[in-house]
Amino acid sequence: MTHASFASDNNSGVHPRVMQALAQANAGHHPAYGDDPHTARARELFAEHFGPQAQVFFVYNGTGANATALAALVQPWQAVICCAGAHINVDECGAPERVTGAKLYAEPGRDGRIGPEAVDRHLHCLGFAHHSQPGAVSLTQATELGTVYTPDEVRAVAERAHAHGLAVHMDGARLANAAAALGCSLREISFDAGVDVLSFGGTKNGLMFGEAVVFADPGRARAFPYIRKQATQLHSKMRFIAAQYAALLEDGLWLDNARNANAMARRLAEGAAALPGVRISRPVQTNAVFAHMPPQAARALLQKQFFYIWDQAAGEVRWVASFDTTPADVDAFLADLALALEHPGPDGGVLPGGHVSAT
């Protein structure tokens, strides 16, 4: 496939500046496991963006980041409260439960978000030996549905959680997109709002591989080096992850990339909404567009464009823009969409694929 894909921001390539950083990190020999100048520079930049007390640890992927971050917060007899549609609940093959030993309490959300009431519903478990003890809350920013938590909404959940001794984790696989949408800094929508541990994603925003686990309080990070190693997430040539993050965080590249992806999603949503037979089904706040369209038209469009069917029964699809999506890419997609709506073809039964989440 040579044209741009709207299936996922995981499908995009690597930003040229990130690729250049990888090439520079490839020169010469450096100490392994993070004792290198590239990792030192990345740590400096994380301190600039998240505060001088923030401690960052690099891992291989988003599932590893979430599972190990939660393992630093909870014990096997505890539970993590999350939205039912959260990536940790739907798309990580039980990794958080396996790595932490803890249970997930999946709460119904509204447009992918949960509020303080999600904490309240499990407070009756505290002190009762027959129930897993709530130990943490996990919020996804931006959510699996492309929506965002405002800083006040994050703070409301964090204050309720902290009042009852629960920690707060944030799955920030698309934190950059959320910050761009809200006009906030990365810190304002995470640590300043009460988040204790953050999984900060880069792969969906121009990196080749690697994610970051960031702690607001170094005290919570004491066991993390051992958790990371035991969970097979310690990269020996860590400079290749760190150098990418340094490129992302320097000179606002993270924000430029996220702004472009969000803008292209808005362009796509506006163009699609103007076509008969398409209804935008979720708020378009970041780089994801959800829409209802006739199944026959979706099937015809899949012959030319790659995307995912989000909900078979509802006829809902998901389109995701990336850091490198261009207006021409969007317009080409819209042209194919219009043609599919005009000439949908015969009813072929069940659409390919099924429910997917924000992978």
Side-chain angles (χ1 to χ4, degrees):
M1 181 176 295
T2 57
H3 59 75
S5 166
F6 288 86
S8 171
D9 38 15
N10 284 326
N11 292 11
S12 60
V14 179
H15 192 280
R17 281 165 56 183
V18 174
M19 193 68 82
Q20 182 181 21
L22 282 165
Q24 291 172 345
N26 196 42
H29 287 215
H30 295 280
Y33 301 109
D35 295 323
D36 63 88
H38 300 282
T39 304
R41 177 56 181 154
R43 287 176 179 144
E44 290 175 357
L45 288 164
F46 270 88
E48 291 178 12
H49 283 275
F50 291 100
Q53 294 298 310
Q55 279 201 319
V56 59
F57 299 85
F58 298 108
V59 297
Y60 281 113
N61 53 43
T63 297
N66 287 334
T68 55
L70 291 170
L73 298 181
V74 296
Q75 297 294 320
W77 41 269
Q78 292 184 303
V80 178
I81 300 167
C82 65
C83 184
H87 205 269
I88 61 171
N89 188 51
V90 176
D91 285 290
E92 295 185 350
C93 197
E97 291 100 329
R98 179 171 183 135
V99 173
T100 66
K103 182 180 179 63
L104 295 183
Y105 285 148
E107 283 286 314
R110 183 174 182 179
D111 287 328
R113 296 179 292 253
I114 57 173
E117 67 281 357
V119 178
D120 295 341
R121 280 193 281 269
H122 296 280
L123 295 179
H124 70 280
C125 298
L126 291 172
F128 189 53
H130 297 276
H131 293 327
S132 296
Q133 299 293 287
V137 180
S138 181
L139 304 176
T140 308
Q141 180 77 304
T143 74
E144 313 299 325
L145 299 180
T147 55
V148 297
Y149 289 91
T150 66
D152 285 344
E153 288 171 332
V154 175
R155 190 173 294 109
V157 175
E159 288 178 352
R160 190 68 54 84
H162 291 155
H164 296 280
L166 281 67
V168 179
H169 164 257
M170 178 170 280
D171 178 352
R174 294 186 176 93
L175 187 72
N177 299 92
L182 290 165
C184 295
S185 70
L186 297 169
R187 179 176 173 175
E188 285 173 330
I189 57 171
S190 57
F191 293 163
D192 284 355
V195 172
D196 298 301
V197 182
L198 167 70
S199 302
F200 177 45
T203 307
K204 292 177 169 63
N205 198 30
L207 268 57
M208 180 183 289
F209 70 97
E211 306 286 297
V213 177
V214 195
F215 290 81
D217 177 6
R220 291 189 182 273
R222 291 193 186 100
F224 194 79
Y226 315 105
I227 293 169
R228 177 176 62 173
K229 177 65 174 180
Q230 191 176 62
T232 73
Q233 288 290 316
L234 178 62
H235 189 30
S236 60
K237 295 184 179 180
M238 195 178 296
R239 68 185 188 270
F240 292 106
I241 301 177
Q244 296 178 79
Y245 270 99
L248 192 69
L249 292 175
E250 280 183 321
D251 302 324
L253 180 61
W254 68 271
L255 184 57
D256 291 342
N257 287 352
R259 281 175 172 166
N260 182 74
N262 291 0
M264 292 303 100
R266 290 193 299 272
R267 183 185 183 98
L268 177 58
E270 291 167 2
L275 296 173
V278 177
R279 178 175 65 84
I280 304 302
S281 54
R282 316 274 184 176
V284 181
Q285 295 182 312
T286 54
N287 64 322
V289 179
F290 293 81
H292 290 295
M293 61 183 298
Q296 299 95 326
R299 186 176 296 104
L301 183 58
L302 281 166
Q303 301 301 310
K304 293 187 176 181
Q305 297 280 350
F306 179 39
F307 60 92
Y308 288 114
I309 306 302
W310 181 263
D311 188 329
Q312 287 266 10
E316 188 176 29
V317 299
R318 186 193 74 168
W319 305 318
V320 182
S322 299
F323 78 92
D324 58 352
T325 303
T326 67
D329 294 330
V330 174
D331 294 345
F333 186 92
L334 290 171
D336 285 340
L337 173 60
L339 189 61
L341 291 164
E342 291 174 8
H343 306 285
D347 185 355
V350 178
L351 285 166
H355 175 83
V356 298
S357 190
T359 51

